Amino acid sequence: MRWFRKQDPPRSEGQAEEIQELDSLRDAIQRSAMPDAAREVALRELERMEKMHPDAAEFSIAMTYLDYLLSMPWNVMTEDNLDMARAQAILDEDHFGLYQVKERILEYLAVRTLRRSSPFNILVVDDEQIARQNIAYVLSKEGYKLSTSPSGVKAMDLLRSRRFDLVITDLKMEGVDGIELLRHIKEFHPDTSVIVITGYATVETAVKAMKIGACDYLPKPFELEELRRAVARSLEKKRAEQELKGPILCFAGPPGTGKTSLGKSIARALERKFVRISLAGVRDEAEIRGHRRTYAGAMPGRIIQEIRRIGSINPVFMMDEVDKLGHEFKGDPASALLEVLDPEQNKQFVDHYLDVPFDLSKVMFILTANVTDLIPPPLLDRMEVLVLPGYTDDEKLEIARSHLIPRLLREHGLWEGKVAFSPGAILRIVRDYTREAGLRGLERELASICRKLARKALEPGALSDGILIEEDQVPEFLGPRRHFRELTDERDRIGVVTGLVWTEGGGEIVFIEATCMKGKNSLLLTGSLGEVMRESAMAALSYIRSNARSLGIDEDLFLDRDVHIHVPAGAIPKDGPSAGITIAMALISLFTGRPARREVALTGEMTLTGRILPVSGVREKLMAAARSGVKEVVLPAKNRLDADSAPKKTLEALKLHFVDYLEEAIDVVLKRKGEGDSPI
Ligand code: ADP
């Protein structure tokens, strides 16, 4: 049944409106900036609509679709501000510290800028002066930087001292001819493209040149327009290759370390719009790539939705928590994401709903993750990871004073000068009310105090003289302390060893407990032990049993006993087997009756032969150790360089012991027998 053929007279008022609407839709499609391929699809859809009843569900689905196509910002983009000094000022203004990360971001921006704005260098080689000059003249008008050379030999000389993006060479020259020059370039300057000009347009020479690696050839005589096009074609390819080489930045670190805020600063510096989505739990490829339109309630993927919402094709697009991308694949979200991020493919990104290619190549994608271990490897390959390990207490104090508090006061209508926090108060909040690598908790607690102060400010005369919040007033605002430093309050025990683990929240200390009781020689494991930790525990026990004698342990001890290992703390470590050395030490402490010093913390993977292998997250672990009051840390010798990258303050607070074998750590951690309580 055809309701709305244009030649049919409309049957009622409603239908007349419908036709009018479709006509104006056609106008809008014609006027829209969408590419021709999209316009064709849109017009075809419109034609389909003209044949439908406006009450049909399909009609409104098609209408929504056309609306979507029309409202996409096909070619709307913001102009980049490429002033690097300004970008640096903005990054510094928004962020305390993070020098290396900021430096790397600026380098990244600088390279992008240069790559895009620097003109291509072209060398024209021809022994005929007029030809040489003509070509150079025409191409310099196009904005390229031109050099010329009258011979192949001179061209080789020039190539040694300067880099050229493209060489245009005649084939027939005295001395070194074009083919020889081409061979030379392909061997010694493989990044330089070559177009050959051949006087005798014989197919063989052209084929030969292309075989050796020329990207194009021009038979003489040629139109200038042909030359322009050939040059533009080869350089466009080059530009795309260069873009491809650019990595995608990924900020990795615990929550609250400034990842989002760095992304926002980059957007502010470039004067681009800022978008942020979370990839946490994205299991279905359709969330990225969209649902096919034929499904009821179909929608575009998150990328296209956000681009439409923000109304620009070149925003800074932050994708959070790429390490939490769903693993139970329905489709493959990681490969869909790869397609979004790959400059070679994202120029023509096809969302299933949109169904026509959309250019994502101008978007600046930035990814974030808490830990990099869980990022799918093909994605990790495309990224350059910038690590934000977290802040020391002193850095937190500084950031609170210079950034968080002034901003929070403004946001709460409290004016600076009237309200101030003493350094002691800030540190007390950091130590007793938060336990984190980042600043989220601190910001939350400070905001909570600001809210209470805002209420106070409305009581007549309450804050008229201003207020300085001192250390001992903190509990008045925030209630009793929430965190205790377990280390300082406890005694050294037998079978309880302090370990360092790496979790999503940064580094953390855990206490690994081992005990044994009468039984049948079995191993019990409880607490937050992941599968890998279980294996570490078994390996540790086997090592100790096989080396019992040299460790001073009675071998018969194992015969009629069950061993129980427990990790009481909540968070599950993300760094696999790094608790091996700690578990082994807890067992040695247990079987030798030597108490373990709580203020010594350990991390290291252990092999069956007692060798200690390097682990990840060393910087984060050291910071956690210092934060928790640990005094000494035992680390794998191979992690020495990683340890050096920890903040100076952290290193000053800790004594580090680097070991290759478990035995080297025993006397550092264990006291003499009888120095602690509770023997087995
Ligand atoms: P993330 O995205 O890593 O979870 P955010 O960027 O949301 O962390 O940071 C949490 C808060 O801490 C924000 O208010 C942010 O402005 C602030 N912040 C983080 N790092 C810094 C820093 N180096 N200097 C100033 N403020 C910071």
Side-chain angles (χ1 to χ4, degrees):
M1 191 158 35
R2 302 182 59 176
W3 289 85
F4 287 116
R5 271 200 337 210
K6 297 210 54 196
Q7 59 270 38
D8 289 344
R11 300 172 191 201
S12 69
E13 219 171 89
Q15 288 168 354
E17 270 169 27
E18 213 57 65
I19 287 182
Q20 234 176 12
E21 187 168 341
L22 292 189
D23 276 347
S24 62
L25 215 50
R26 181 184 308 277
D27 271 359
I29 294 170
Q30 300 287 14
R31 272 184 284 113
S32 146
M34 64 179 81
D36 290 343
R39 197 182 327 277
E40 248 172 56
V41 172
L43 289 172
R44 225 178 305 135
E45 191 70 11
L46 193 71
E47 260 170 42
R48 260 181 13 96
M49 284 174 76
E50 284 172 342
K51 296 171 195 158
M52 290 178 206
H53 191 286
D55 291 341
E58 275 197 315
F59 187 88
S60 67
I61 291 176
M63 185 68 106
T64 318
Y65 172 62
L66 286 185
D67 243 8
Y68 229 106
L69 283 185
L70 282 168
S71 59
M72 286 307 291
W74 294 98
N75 60 356
V76 185
M77 59 192 279
T78 50
E79 180 96 19
D80 277 353
N81 186 330
L82 300 175
D83 181 346
M84 282 298 121
R86 181 173 163 278
Q88 175 159 17
I90 288 178
L91 282 173
D92 284 341
E93 185 181 307
D94 293 349
H95 301 95
F96 168 87
L98 299 178
Y99 301 108
Q100 280 170 349
V101 174
K102 288 192 286 200
E103 196 69 5
R104 182 61 195 96
I105 291 174
L106 287 169
E107 282 167 19
Y108 178 83
L109 295 180
V111 171
R112 273 176 73 102
T113 308
L114 277 182
R115 251 197 331 234
R116 246 180 316 148
S117 58
S118 63
F120 283 112
N121 282 321
I122 301 179
L123 173 64
V124 182
V125 191
D126 199 321
D127 50 4
E128 274 179 50
Q129 193 186 4
I130 309 241
R132 206 162 64 223
Q133 282 175 347
N134 274 348
I135 296 175
Y137 177 76
V138 171
L139 293 179
S140 61
K141 285 264 171 233
E142 299 289 301
Y144 303 120
K145 234 165 125 186
L146 265 297
S147 309
T148 57
S149 162
S151 72
V153 180
K154 289 220 167 96
M156 286 180 184
D157 267 355
L158 266 173
L159 278 158
R160 255 193 291 281
S161 58
R162 280 178 54 192
R163 206 191 63 79
F164 291 95
D165 298 291
L166 174 67
V167 172
I168 303 173
T169 177
D170 194 11
L171 274 188
K172 189 166 168 289
M173 291 183 291
E174 288 292 315
V176 173
D177 70 2
I179 290 288
E180 223 177 300
L181 178 63
L182 172 63
R183 280 213 173 90
H184 171 86
I185 292 174
K186 287 296 118 189
E187 183 168 355
F188 297 103
H189 312 279
D191 284 345
T192 304
S193 311
V194 181
I195 296 179
V196 294
I197 299 171
T198 153
Y200 344 78
T202 54
V203 180
E204 295 99 276
T205 41
V207 170
K208 187 172 171 195
M210 298 297 273
K211 263 194 186 150
I212 300 172
C215 64
D216 214 337
Y217 74 95
L218 288 167
K220 260 187 199 170
F222 50 83
E223 300 276 330
L224 290 179
E225 190 47 41
E226 263 179 88
L227 170 72
R228 276 196 208 104
R229 251 183 297 159
V231 169
R233 234 186 352 253
S234 82
L235 290 179
E236 190 162 314
K237 222 163 97 217
K238 200 155 202 81
R239 183 81 82 202
E241 278 165 19
Q242 282 176 350
E243 290 283 333
L244 246 184
K245 284 184 191 150
I248 292 149
L249 292 184
C250 174
F251 299 150
T257 44
K259 300 183 291 297
T260 312
S261 115
L262 279 171
K264 283 187 184 160
S265 291
I266 292 175
R268 188 155 83 88
L270 290 172
E271 293 180 0
R272 286 189 181 206
K273 298 199 169 163
F274 181 75
V275 188
R276 179 175 168 224
I277 61 169
S278 171
L279 296 172
V282 168
R283 291 213 177 86
D284 189 345
E285 184 182 328
E287 283 194 51
I288 290 171
R289 226 196 284 264
H291 288 282
R292 292 198 188 283
R293 226 164 47 240
T294 38
Y295 290 110
M299 294 236 286
R302 308 264 295 276
I303 318 281
I304 290 295
Q305 283 184 34
E306 288 301 317
I307 294 281
R308 175 170 101 138
R309 189 180 62 76
I310 207 81
S312 157
I313 58 165
N314 67 336
V316 170
F317 201 122
M318 190 164 235
M319 300 207 237
D320 277 338
E321 306 189 276
V322 59
D323 50 338
K324 303 214 183 58
L325 205 59
H327 290 296
E328 313 146 30
F329 297 139
K330 185 169 172 197
D332 183 355
S335 80
L337 196 60
L338 210 54
E339 208 178 302
V340 168
L341 297 173
D342 183 349
E344 209 168 8
Q345 300 182 55
N346 69 10
K347 209 169 165 50
Q348 298 270 327
F349 175 70
V350 180
D351 178 284
H352 287 329
Y353 179 84
L354 224 50
D355 212 15
V356 288
F358 190 86
D359 182 3
L360 293 178
S361 65
K362 313 251 171 345
V363 177
M364 179 173 176
F365 288 105
I366 297 177
L367 300 168
T368 81
N370 290 137
V371 286
T372 49
D373 297 32
L374 297 176
I375 300 178
L379 274 173
L380 196 56
D381 271 357
R382 292 281 303 119
M383 299 176 191
E384 173 168 345
V385 177
L386 301 187
V387 180
L388 296 109
Y391 300 103
T392 60
D393 287 359
D394 290 334
E395 285 171 329
K396 288 181 186 173
L397 170 65
E398 208 38 62
I399 294 173
R401 285 213 294 203
S402 59
H403 288 82
L404 301 182
I405 294 173
R407 193 179 68 224
L408 286 168
L409 292 182
R410 267 196 314 277
E411 283 171 10
H412 287 81
L414 298 160
W415 53 110
E416 266 180 81
K418 277 268 185 232
V419 179
F421 290 75
S422 76
I426 298 172
L427 280 176
R428 178 146 192 196
I429 302 173
V430 167
R431 290 183 181 145
D432 294 352
Y433 293 85
T434 68
R435 187 197 283 159
E436 57 180 358
L439 297 158
R440 289 222 182 133
L442 175 61
E443 193 173 4
R444 202 169 40 238
E445 299 304 332
L446 288 169
S448 154
I449 297 182
C450 287
R451 281 196 301 277
K452 295 194 165 81
L453 287 174
R455 265 190 74 185
K456 250 201 172 106
L458 290 180
E459 292 166 14
L463 291 185
S464 52
D465 299 333
I467 176 170
L468 170 69
I469 298 173
E470 299 275 11
E471 190 175 339
D472 54 5
Q473 286 168 288
V474 173
E476 281 172 38
F477 288 97
L478 299 179
R481 73 188 288 189
R482 251 165 268 155
H483 294 292
F484 292 86
R485 299 205 156 192
E486 296 103 325
L487 278 174
T488 44
D489 304 329
E490 287 271 353
R491 275 190 297 164
D492 297 333
R493 289 176 190 280
I494 292 169
V496 181
V497 176
T498 311
L500 291 171
V501 291
W502 193 25
T503 71
E504 302 205 330
E508 255 187 58
I509 62 165
V510 292
F511 296 100
I512 292 188
E513 300 178 345
T515 188
C516 65
M517 51 255 164
K518 269 211 171 325
K520 296 198 195 82
N521 191 10
S522 59
L523 177 64
L524 261 159
L525 300 159
T526 53
S528 60
L529 286 159
E531 197 44 49
V532 189
M533 262 232 225
R534 279 170 204 280
E535 283 171 15
S536 301
M538 287 195 259
L541 187 58
S542 297
Y543 169 80
I544 289 166
R545 288 182 62 176
S546 58
N547 291 279
R549 206 169 308 161
S550 65
L551 291 167
I553 297 169
D554 175 7
E555 278 165 293
D556 294 340
L557 259 183
F558 302 104
L559 294 178
D560 53 354
R561 280 185 168 79
D562 286 346
V563 176
H564 186 169
I565 296 170
H566 180 68
V567 184
I572 294 180
K574 292 282 169 203
D575 60 336
S578 81
I581 186 174
T582 321
I583 295 173
M585 197 58 77
L587 291 172
I588 296 175
S589 164
L590 174 71
F591 292 128
T592 56
R594 294 173 65 180
R597 295 166 60 204
R598 280 180 93 83
E599 57 183 32
V600 186
L602 298 93
T603 180
E605 180 180 349
M606 198 180 86
T607 67
L608 262 183
T609 53
R611 227 156 34 94
I612 304 301
L613 304 181
V615 293
S616 21
V618 168
R619 203 163 22 162
E620 288 81 354
K621 287 175 181 172
L622 289 177
M623 290 172 79
R627 207 164 48 231
S628 318
V630 166
K631 298 278 181 309
E632 297 177 37
V633 178
V634 175
L635 291 163
K638 293 214 168 57
N639 280 123
R640 205 179 279 269
L641 276 181
D642 304 306
D644 285 346
S645 65
K648 219 165 124 237
K649 277 269 179 201
T650 302
L651 293 175
E652 277 166 15
L654 298 170
K655 183 169 175 197
L656 304 185
H657 303 269
F658 293 98
V659 299
D660 277 314
Y661 287 92
L662 175 69
E663 297 98 85
E664 299 163 40
I666 293 177
D667 289 335
V668 176
V669 183
L670 302 185
K671 293 167 127 179
R672 278 203 308 278
K673 202 169 172 173
E675 277 188 296
D677 46 49
S678 62
I680 12 172

